[in-house]
Amino acid sequence: MTLILGIETSCDETAAAVVEDGQRIFSNVVASQIDIHRRYGGVFPEVASRQHILSITPIIKEAMEEARVSWDDLEAVAVTYGPGLAGSLLVGVNAAKGIALGCGLPLLGINHIEAHIYANWLTPPLPGGGGGGEPPAGGKEGWAFFVFPVLCLVVSGGHTELILMSGHGRYQRLGSTLDDAAGEAFDKVGRLLELGYPGGPAIEQAAQFGDPAAFDLPRAWLGDSHDFSFSGLKTAVLRMVKAYKKRPLPVVDLAASFQAAVVDVLVEKTKRAAEEYRVEQILLSGGVAANKLLRQEMAQRSDLPVLYPPISLCTDNAAMVAGAAYFRYQAGYRSGWDLDVIPNLKLVGHETRAAGEEVVSRSTDGA
Ligand code: KG4
Ligand code: ZN
């Protein structure tokens, strides 16, 4: 049994969690700054990092208490070191270093995108504390319920990535956004329609009452490429809003039409890549994977099993960081004390060493 403390501060959530064996969540505490950033209509980096400073220690303390474990029970401390906002990442990385040094534990720097992927591996805590039970249906044996190769669509406020995963820690990036991330498009259009921040949940809510066929919005298919583009769609909504002479603006129809356009492109392009690479499963993750239409359409339009985490694990949290860390830990990776934040960190597999990272007694198990 390997208990890992995970820490996440890459954007506007201060989070800490204790997870056993990359799967069973003992605690998962998230302090969201959404209410603070709402007045700016988006994340204000300077404010975010200062807020992390205030929250990080009580959040870690709470995660340890809720998990009912002591520092001696931990085997490693894992922290997101990129991609994300530099000032925000620094707070988490420094906290993790302090704990690792003080407790004599190994430190593991984790890529935020890899963490989002591993949110699919987690099971929720049992009532009254402790780790969760059986893995979701569709699993093979034990908790090896990723049946490789899997295709991961990671869609959040900062990322839209299509990643082919051929094993634990083995990634091939097939495509990504050329401009705005899917969540960023939701946030920008949410602002445009004056629905508030963050735009994703607000648009989803408004769209329930709208007609998705009311407005014919463009879809950027980009030929055979597995890349995405959402800035044209955002501009098309802006033009429609400006050109619409009658008042009030049909906000719910615009929201529904916009959501339908984003989901259509995400689903269709994921489906195409899944067929091309003959994968066994499709896996959704990241904040936008909380979107019910995306979940439904992906499951309906593809013949393959589609996995996605519970909504609370789609958006930023630290359980996913501890989850991803388990597989790196098993593969023998340890970060050095010179671990630095990398705001534009790219996803690399276990085969590539990050700066300052060493591999100790690399096992074949899970690598
Ligand atoms: O993963 P996340 O918490 O942070 C990043 O790593 O970026 O994702 C936040 C993003 C925001 O852009 C938010 O608008 C979007 O996820 N989001 C949604 C929904 N819930 C959150 N987008 C569409 N539908 C949702 N229900
Ligand atoms: Zn995220």
Side-chain angles (χ1 to χ4, degrees), residues 8 10-11 13 83 112-113 115-116 154-159 285-287 314-317 320:
E8 158 66 43
S10 69
C11 191
E13 259 93 29
H112 185 74
I113 298 171
H116 270 303
V154 184
V155 269
S156 71
H159 317 282
S285 55
C314 285
T315 46
D316 288 349
N317 63 84
M320 66 186 194

Side-chain angles (χ1 to χ4, degrees), residues 83 113 117 151-156 158-164 172-177 181-182 226-228 230 266 270 283 285 345-347:
I113 298 171
I117 291 173
L151 182 65
C152 312
L153 175 68
V154 184
V155 269
S156 71
H159 317 282
T160 306
E161 311 266 333
L162 208 43
I163 294 155
L164 180 67
Q172 185 188 341
R173 190 185 192 213
L174 303 180
S176 61
T177 184
H226 296 303
D227 287 331
F228 297 89
F230 294 105
L266 290 176
T270 303
L283 204 142
S285 55
L345 182 67
K346 298 280 171 272
L347 179 63

Side-chain angles (χ1 to χ4, degrees), residues 122-295:
L122 298 164
T123 55
L126 294 170
E134 292 301 303
K140 278 197 162 167
E141 56 191 71
W143 26 277
F145 54 84
F146 282 10
V147 185
F148 297 114
V150 304
L151 182 65
C152 312
L153 175 68
V154 184
V155 269
S156 71
H159 317 282
T160 306
E161 311 266 333
L162 208 43
I163 294 155
L164 180 67
M165 197 175 168
S166 53
H168 287 295
R170 300 178 63 152
Y171 310 107
Q172 185 188 341
R173 190 185 192 213
L174 303 180
S176 61
T177 184
L178 302 177
D179 38 59
D180 292 346
E184 193 180 353
F186 268 99
D187 292 337
K188 286 180 175 171
V189 169
R191 222 159 22 224
L192 212 68
L193 300 180
E194 296 181 2
L195 287 170
Y197 173 81
I203 286 178
E204 175 166 42
Q205 179 112 28
Q208 288 178 68
F209 309 102
D211 174 9
F215 292 91
D216 188 19
L217 292 170
R219 274 97 165 131
W221 298 114
L222 309 181
D224 292 335
S225 145
H226 296 303
D227 287 331
F228 297 89
S229 166
F230 294 105
S231 73
L233 173 60
K234 174 199 67 194
T235 310
V237 177
L238 176 66
R239 281 212 202 94
M240 278 181 183
V241 169
K242 283 192 170 159
Y244 201 81
K245 298 284 180 242
K246 285 184 281 177
R247 284 293 180 269
L249 199 66
V251 169
V252 292
D253 287 341
L254 277 165
S257 303
F258 166 79
Q259 178 180 249
V262 175
V263 167
D264 195 16
V265 171
L266 290 176
V267 169
E268 201 52 41
K269 297 201 73 158
T270 303
K271 204 179 129 187
R272 275 188 214 165
E275 282 162 12
E276 187 179 329
Y277 288 90
R278 297 168 188 274
V279 300
E280 297 286 339
Q281 293 174 328
I282 292 170
L283 204 142
L284 307 178
S285 55
V288 183
N291 187 276
K292 287 180 217 65
L293 185 71
L294 174 63
R295 292 162 173 244

Side-chain angles (χ1 to χ4, degrees), residues 8-9 11-16 28-37 51-52 54-56 58-59 62 316-318:
E8 158 66 43
T9 62
C11 191
D12 61 343
E13 259 93 29
T14 317
N28 187 26
V29 184
V30 181
S32 172
Q33 303 177 6
I34 283 179
D35 289 340
I36 295 166
H37 298 287
Q51 194 58 39
H52 286 307
L54 298 179
S55 309
I56 191 76
I59 291 296
E62 197 178 326
D316 288 349
N317 63 84

